[in-house]
């Protein structure tokens, strides 16, 4: 067993990068390393007058450019609608294009909860809905492909690159939508779990799944629900299918009331298809357990706990109420990279946070840790906590990308010109 003191001595130094957008706010998922060697990401906006900004960073030049405003490429600039304030999904590359989606960045507070606007602000129209979008890496052209139904944002998306299909879950009602890139057809398969995050806490509220995956052999897409169910869908099917004989209500994940906000419930937090074994590997956010899901065998198996070593020794959950989205299979195709939390100790005692909050967010102060897990050898490594050169902590980290040199990129909070923003952060290759 690794001692607390040993882990405390292991640190990585991150470098923050200001991209030129002074309103940059928290981003979830929306960062990807593309085949042209650049890192593409979205800086979110909480402004009613400015949309989220799409950026590209060149590691060789240590330079970034602002490529576009989300509201503008959706064709809504100057139309006085609530803007496209963020993207909540990774970019998916296929045939020289990046596919992604937009989401709302400002909310109406109703009964103490962030909700989709139902009352238009003076001078504004209601949010028109999130868009499926593409970006041509060669021409630099953006294309608006389709818009989500009923004025909903797009909070979760994946792509079947071989079959040219996009799948998404909308916010707040949790509709499952399917877009065929070749034909341009958009289907709405309906709500996935009660009224999702449009629901009433204690009744029909359910947290929406934030990650889906494709069985690359069959073309089926899978997602989870806060109640622990697993659903699948095939592009030729007429409806979603609930899997029988398998679910995510596992003792090791903990016990949740899915009708209450403040956790993802029994949802997986992040998941990916692992072709060598024809299974998916995912992480349950609150518990930090890595699991293996075999769709053909209808089995979910616990693999290991990949929370930071300090979190494991403390026996406690981490501070971010939903868990962490910085979970990805590395360039070698064998190693998982996971950006997760770690407790802060002062005077030899763990600093505790709030016992409960009613949304996704940090319940208290914590460190950022880089954890890797080599799948063929089942080797877990906590590479230590991450700090800026001035001793500050990267916080609200829920995204990850890795370049060909093994450097890690994410979006995290830091101070710039006296203001706290969230922007690009580079963490050096943890194996060097």
């Amino acid at each position: 067993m690794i001692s607390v003191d040993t882990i405390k001595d292991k640190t990585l130094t991150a470098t923050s990068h200001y991209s030129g957008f002074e309103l940059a706010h928290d981003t979830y998922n929306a960062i990807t390393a593309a085949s042209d060697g650049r890192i593409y990401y979205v800086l979110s906006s909480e402004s009613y007058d400015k949309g989220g900004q799409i950026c590209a960073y060149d590691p060789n030049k240590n330079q970034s450019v602002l490529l576009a405003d989300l509201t503008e490429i959706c064709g809504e600039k100057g139309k006085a609608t609530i803007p496209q304030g963020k993207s909540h999904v990774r970019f998916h590359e296929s045939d020289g294009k990046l596919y992604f989606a937009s989401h709302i960045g400002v909310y109406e507070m109703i009964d103490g909860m962030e909700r989709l606007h139902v009352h238009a602000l003076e001078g504004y129209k209601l949010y028109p809905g999130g868009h499926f979008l593409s970006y041509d890496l060669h021409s630099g052209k953006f294309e608006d492909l389709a818009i989500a139904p009923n004025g909903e944002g797009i909070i979760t998306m994946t792509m079947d690159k071989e079959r040219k299909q996009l799948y998404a879950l909308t916010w707040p009602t949790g509709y499952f939508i399917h877009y065929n890139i070749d034909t341009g057809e958009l289907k709405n398969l309906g709500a996935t779990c009660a009224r999702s995050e449009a629901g009433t806490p204690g009744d029909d509220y359910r947290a929406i799944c934030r990650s889906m995956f494709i069985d690359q052999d069959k073309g089926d897409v899978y997602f989870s629900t806060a109640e622990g169910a697993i659903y699948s869908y095939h592009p030729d099917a007429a409806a979603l299918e609930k899997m029988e004989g398998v679910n995510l209500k596992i003792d090791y994940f903990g016990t949740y009331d899915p009708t209450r906000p403040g956790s993802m419930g029994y949802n997986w937090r992040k998941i990916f298809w692992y072709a060598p074994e024809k299974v998916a590997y995912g992480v349950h956010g609150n518990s930090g357990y890595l699991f293996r899901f075999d769709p053909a065998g209808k089995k979910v198996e616990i693999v290991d706990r990949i929370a930071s070593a300090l979190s494991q020794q403390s026996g406690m959950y981490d501070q971010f109420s939903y868990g962490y989205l910085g979970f990805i299979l590395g360039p070698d195709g064998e190693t998982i990279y996971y950006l997760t939390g770690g407790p802060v100790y002062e005077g030899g005692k763990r600093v505790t946070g709030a016992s409960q909050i009613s949304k996704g967010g940090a319940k208290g102060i914590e460190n950022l840790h880089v954890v890797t897990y080599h799948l063929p050898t089942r080797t877990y490594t906590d590479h230590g906590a991450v700090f800026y050169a001035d001793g500050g902590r990267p916080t609200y980290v829920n995204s990850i990308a890795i370049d060909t040199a093994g450097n890690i990129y994410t979006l995290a909070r830091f101070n710039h010109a006296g203001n706290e923003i969230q922007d690009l952060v580079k963490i050096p290759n943890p194996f060097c």
Side-chain angles (χ1 to χ4, degrees), residues 78-410:
K79 294 186 177 181
T81 59
I82 290 175
Q84 303 290 339
K86 65 173 70 169
S87 176
H88 207 289
V89 305
R90 291 179 55 79
F91 297 86
H92 296 262
E93 184 173 349
S94 177
D95 294 337
K97 291 185 177 181
L98 300 179
Y99 292 87
F100 61 110
S102 65
H103 188 47
I104 190 170
V106 291
Y107 309 95
E108 181 175 354
M109 294 301 296
I110 301 175
D111 297 329
M113 295 184 67
E114 293 179 341
R115 300 287 198 176
L116 189 69
H117 281 79
V118 295
H119 305 97
L121 278 71
E122 184 176 353
Y124 292 87
K125 300 174 186 176
L126 293 177
Y127 181 64
H131 292 243
F132 285 122
L133 302 159
S134 70
Y135 174 72
D136 191 307
L137 291 168
H138 304 291
S139 69
K141 179 183 177 181
F142 287 93
E143 186 176 0
D144 180 13
L145 303 174
I147 188 169
N150 304 327
E152 299 255 325
I154 296 177
I155 199 165
T156 308
M157 191 194 94
T158 195
M159 179 181 186
D160 185 335
K161 299 178 182 180
E162 180 179 342
R163 299 168 182 85
K164 297 294 187 290
Q165 310 292 326
L166 298 178
Y167 304 104
L169 296 171
T170 70
W171 184 92
T173 311
Y175 298 122
F176 181 97
I177 57 177
H178 166 206
Y179 178 74
N180 185 316
I181 294 172
D182 289 335
T183 67
E185 181 183 12
L186 179 70
K187 294 181 181 179
N188 180 4
L189 281 297
T192 50
C193 194
R195 293 193 66 237
S196 295
E197 293 174 40
T200 301
D203 184 12
D204 53 4
Y205 175 91
R206 305 289 190 276
I208 299 169
C209 180
R210 300 304 202 259
S211 181
M212 301 187 286
F213 76 90
I214 306 291
D215 180 330
Q216 295 172 358
D217 293 335
K218 298 180 180 179
D220 295 339
V221 58
Y222 292 83
F223 66 93
S224 65
T225 74
E227 296 173 347
I230 300 173
Y231 280 83
S232 68
Y233 171 75
H234 189 275
D236 296 331
L240 304 173
E241 181 178 350
K242 182 181 178 180
M243 295 192 70
E244 300 297 333
V246 62
N247 60 60
L248 296 172
K249 296 189 75 172
I250 295 172
D251 289 350
Y252 275 38
F253 291 167
T255 303
Y256 304 93
D257 179 352
T259 72
R260 295 290 177 185
S263 80
M264 291 298 295
Y266 295 99
N267 272 303
W268 56 56
R269 183 56 167 159
K270 198 72 179 286
I271 195 164
F272 62 81
W273 178 252
Y274 188 58
E277 298 177 16
K278 299 185 184 302
V279 301
Y281 280 92
V283 64
H284 180 261
N286 293 93
S287 65
Y289 273 103
L290 177 69
F291 65 89
R292 183 180 186 271
F293 169 44
D294 179 356
K298 295 186 176 181
K299 293 188 297 183
V300 174
E301 300 172 332
I302 296 294
V303 177
D304 207 340
R305 193 173 182 212
I306 58 170
S308 70
L310 290 177
S311 294
Q312 294 190 44
Q313 288 197 341
S314 74
M316 306 297 288
Y317 288 162
D318 293 320
Q319 296 289 355
F320 206 87
S321 60
Y322 280 7
Y324 309 92
L325 291 168
F327 174 88
I328 193 173
L329 185 65
D332 66 354
E334 296 183 341
T335 303
I336 294 172
Y337 289 72
Y338 186 40
L339 300 181
T340 185
V344 174
Y345 287 86
E346 293 181 356
K349 294 185 178 180
R350 175 179 171 271
V351 177
T352 60
S355 59
Q356 181 75 19
I357 59 175
S358 60
K359 64 177 184 177
K363 295 181 289 184
I365 189 173
E366 65 178 351
N367 290 327
L368 171 67
H369 281 243
V370 174
V371 168
T372 58
Y373 194 86
H374 187 244
L375 287 170
T377 60
R378 296 295 194 259
T379 301
Y380 164 95
T381 306
D382 184 343
H383 298 270
V386 181
F387 298 96
Y388 298 123
D390 64 3
R393 295 182 174 90
T395 57
Y396 276 75
V397 173
N398 270 286
S399 59
I400 188 170
I402 304 169
D403 67 18
T404 55
N407 299 303
I408 300 169
Y409 297 85
T410 188

